[in-house]
Amino acid sequence: MALYDEFAWTKTAYGRWERNIDEAEQFYTTLARRFEGTGRTFFAMTAHVSFSLSGEVGSLGPITALKNAWLQLRYDHPTIASWVEYDTKSNRCKKVYESFREDSITCRQAWLDETFRIISTSQTGKEWCNSDPPVPKLPTLFLITRENPTGNYQADVVLRSHHDIIDGIGSLHLLNNLFKYASLFLEKPDSPLPQFGDEWKTLSPPLRVAACIPASLDETQQTRIQKLSETNASIREGIEIAKLPFHKGQAVPGCHQRIELNLDLEQSKKLRHAIKDIGASVTHVYQAAIALVLRDLQDRGPNERKVRYINYALINERPLCKSPYSTPQHAAAVYHSVSGSSLVIDLVVPSAEDHTRNDKIKEDEFLEVIEQVKRYYLEIRDDKEHISLAPHYWALSTPAYPAGPDVPPVPAANDAPSVSISSMGVVDNILAPTHGQFELESPWVTGEELGTGLGLFLSTFRGCMCLSAAYNDAWHDKNEVAKFVRECNELVVRSLGL
């Protein structure tokens, strides 16, 4: 920790602790600031899960249990009560935590009133998440309740947070801890609540500290970063880049939206077996499908031509963090990295008159692209220096922070958007499907999409796979995004002979 005094939580006033943020956190802080003029928060986290309680259970029991569980999480994960602000004295962005002025019922209730909100609506949680919900200053839990004719209590929990506080995997860990405690408080309503005062000791450090990343690069690593920067710039030169078509004319982002395609248990099982048989992962296969479906959206001309699909990978770094930061004890943290090198796939757009591409040709092409994607991901996995270079990869992707007092102008829309994919893996390994009387369904996470591209998400829960997409309704509509997702899945299923 001596190398990183700037990242140590330091008491700066009575009940107030601060630390500098690292490059991973700065990336999300900067994007949120640059798009502040939209009235929305770029990449704000949404984590959703539906739940039901078996038997006749009134609303008071589960609501009280969830409130007590949320209060317990404030003690276990105090970072959920933190925020990031710009410090004009040091010209740095800092993460700030303030404890209760006194550990009283009044202070606790004030925090709960601010960060635990009950929404009574006819909408489902998924519908509510598509209705432009707020992103409060502090991570906030929304309980979406509705009338249920079956008699069993059902509701949805939605976590909304700035992405510089928590990431996707961390959000799932947090929800698991939430329902672990909610089950306890539902079963034993008189269980003691935490006593605040020393909770600041478990405030989460940034990735640099959690993963023991060296403070500086050696000469060889510096050369590697320089060459990487040059390579990432050169891959866009002298070739047409595959672009996602979008509706032009809107200068400012609209509302973030999410759609999903769910596979049933049998479909999911067959698909996983087929993917395993070709030695790939679910992520490899769907990443390949994205590249090919995007290629097929390019305009055809009189002659065939080459286009290039370019993207990146997000990597969960929790397994490489030292204990306890590798565990769910530090769920409220940004412990992932971005790939340094880009995924580059060159593809051919057939001419408008080319009708020779039969199923066998398409299948062979699909398998070839899967191998390219697989090699890319394995190179990242096997790169022993990746974690040491991760902060610098984040820095390469981060624009300048608008530090002035005025809200900056909204950046121009990206005229050459692409399609990315993030995999949550088998969610059951993070978020247990059952916690006592609580039965969970439909867990998912997404980042607020304010750009012209699409962000696809993969996950499996209770054996069923889900492929979802986040988009902005200023530039895309539901039908076209649903069609893109459907065609990705159909390509996978057809090419694997299912």
Side-chain angles (χ1 to χ4, degrees):
M1 183 71 80
L3 289 173
Y4 285 124
D5 287 342
E6 62 174 311
F7 297 130
W9 286 97
T10 303
K11 190 173 184 178
T12 58
Y14 178 78
R16 181 182 173 103
W17 285 262
E18 300 178 3
R19 68 162 172 83
N20 287 342
I21 62 175
D22 75 349
E23 292 87 347
E25 296 164 319
Q26 185 68 62
F27 173 81
Y28 294 108
T29 297
T30 298
L31 282 187
R33 170 64 173 160
R34 285 171 62 86
F35 282 80
E36 187 179 342
T38 66
R40 300 180 170 95
T41 305
F42 210 152
F43 284 140
M45 287 302 309
T46 300
H48 167 282
V49 68
S50 301
F51 73 88
S52 62
L53 287 144
S54 56
E56 292 293 332
V57 179
S59 62
L60 185 59
I63 290 176
T64 301
L66 285 165
K67 280 187 176 182
N68 288 340
W70 184 238
L71 186 65
Q72 182 68 52
L73 292 192
R74 162 74 190 256
Y75 182 83
D76 289 358
H77 310 282
T79 317
I80 63 170
S82 69
W83 67 93
V84 175
E85 62 183 41
Y86 184 76
D87 178 42
T88 56
K89 293 181 180 178
S90 63
N91 294 322
R92 292 285 300 270
C93 292
K94 293 182 178 291
K95 190 166 284 191
V96 179
Y97 172 76
E98 290 185 350
S99 62
F100 294 135
R101 287 295 174 183
E102 57 183 42
D103 189 17
S104 66
I105 294 177
T106 301
C107 289
R108 294 177 179 209
Q109 191 58 50
W111 180 75
L112 283 173
D113 289 344
E114 181 181 0
T115 66
F116 188 100
R117 305 185 190 180
I118 300 173
I119 308 293
S120 297
T121 175
S122 59
Q123 293 179 309
T124 65
K126 293 175 185 178
E127 292 168 338
W128 184 80
C129 288
N130 278 344
S131 64
D132 207 15
V135 185
K137 176 182 177 180
L138 297 178
T140 297
L141 212 61
F142 294 89
L143 181 64
I144 316 299
T145 66
R146 56 190 176 276
E147 290 187 9
N148 180 36
T150 67
N152 291 347
Y153 185 81
Q154 297 179 350
D156 307 294
V157 166
V158 177
L159 173 70
R160 291 282 279 170
S161 172
H162 289 253
H163 208 326
D164 50 21
I165 302 299
I166 195 170
D167 59 18
I169 297 295
S171 297
L172 293 174
H173 280 304
L174 196 72
L175 289 177
N176 189 66
N177 292 343
L178 176 78
F179 281 97
K180 178 183 69 175
Y181 283 121
S183 175
L184 170 66
F185 285 115
L186 186 65
E187 182 181 347
K188 300 178 180 179
D190 295 330
S191 296
L193 294 170
Q195 299 298 310
F196 288 85
D198 62 349
E199 77 284 353
W200 64 270
K201 295 178 181 178
T202 55
L203 286 164
S204 297
L207 178 63
R208 269 193 177 271
V209 175
C212 299
I213 298 174
S216 60
L217 300 178
D218 60 32
E219 187 174 341
T220 302
Q221 291 171 326
Q222 291 176 14
T223 301
R224 179 177 172 181
I225 289 292
Q226 179 60 36
K227 289 183 177 179
L228 180 69
S229 180
E230 295 169 356
T231 299
N232 284 344
S234 67
I235 59 176
R236 296 181 177 275
E237 298 173 355
I239 191 169
E240 180 184 347
I241 305 302
K243 304 174 185 177
L244 177 70
F246 66 98
H247 307 306
K248 298 188 178 181
Q250 293 292 328
V252 178
C255 182
H256 159 95
Q257 298 286 287
R258 176 187 176 275
I259 59 100
E260 65 183 22
L261 173 66
N262 292 293
L263 306 185
D264 64 29
L265 195 61
E266 187 62 25
Q267 291 172 323
S268 301
K269 184 178 179 180
K270 289 180 179 179
L271 189 54
R272 285 195 299 272
H273 282 312
I275 292 172
K276 185 177 180 180
D277 287 344
I278 63 172
S281 74
V282 176
T283 304
H284 300 155
V285 169
Y286 279 94
Q287 175 70 87
I290 286 171
L292 290 168
V293 172
L294 182 61
R295 184 275 309 274
D296 292 342
L297 290 178
Q298 309 306 299
D299 291 334
R300 289 194 181 193
N303 301 307
E304 72 172 29
R305 69 188 193 280
K306 184 180 292 186
V307 296
R308 177 167 287 173
Y309 171 77
I310 300 176
N311 222 282
Y312 61 90
L314 292 175
I315 304 101
N316 172 31
E317 301 295 2
R318 279 175 165 77
L320 293 184
C321 293
K322 64 182 180 180
S323 184
Y325 310 122
S326 58
T327 73
Q329 293 178 42
H330 285 269
V334 184
Y335 291 164
H336 66 275
S337 66
V338 65
S339 58
S341 59
S342 297
L343 171 62
V344 177
I345 300 175
D346 289 337
L347 300 162
V348 173
V349 177
S351 69
E353 303 302 320
D354 186 351
H355 304 294
T356 63
R357 295 173 58 79
N358 58 35
D359 289 345
K360 181 64 170 62
I361 291 175
K362 293 178 181 178
E363 179 184 333
D364 289 344
E365 181 185 41
F366 182 60
L367 293 175
E368 181 182 333
V369 174
I370 289 174
E371 286 302 310
Q372 292 182 56
V373 174
K374 181 179 175 181
R375 285 195 298 271
Y376 172 75
Y377 276 92
L378 291 180
E379 285 174 3
I380 297 172
R381 185 199 68 182
D382 296 337
D383 182 1
K384 303 302 182 185
E385 288 194 320
H386 174 81
I387 190 63
S388 296
L389 300 175
H392 305 275
Y393 294 157
W394 279 119
L396 288 174
S397 305
T398 306
Y401 181 85
D406 299 328
V407 175
V410 177
N414 179 9
D415 210 30
S418 188
V419 184
S420 64
I421 189 166
S422 297
S423 178
M424 298 293 107
V426 180
V427 175
D428 311 57
N429 294 335
I430 306 171
L431 176 59
T434 301
H435 289 269
Q437 289 181 261
F438 289 94
E439 292 291 338
L440 308 188
E441 292 286 352
S442 190
W444 52 264
V445 297
T446 186
E448 194 93 346
E449 181 57 74
L450 299 184
T452 51
L454 298 183
L456 269 60
F457 295 83
L458 264 174
S459 64
T460 299
F461 190 67
R462 292 185 183 266
C464 297
M465 290 175 53
C466 175
L467 179 65
S468 62
Y471 64 98
N472 194 277
D473 67 4
W475 297 296
H476 302 282
D477 62 51
K478 180 179 179 179
N479 289 337
E480 72 182 64
V481 177
K483 183 181 180 207
F484 186 94
V485 171
R486 187 172 62 251
E487 288 182 352
C488 285
N489 188 66
E490 289 173 352
L491 175 59
V492 170
V493 171
R494 184 174 63 250
S495 298
L496 295 179
L498 299 176

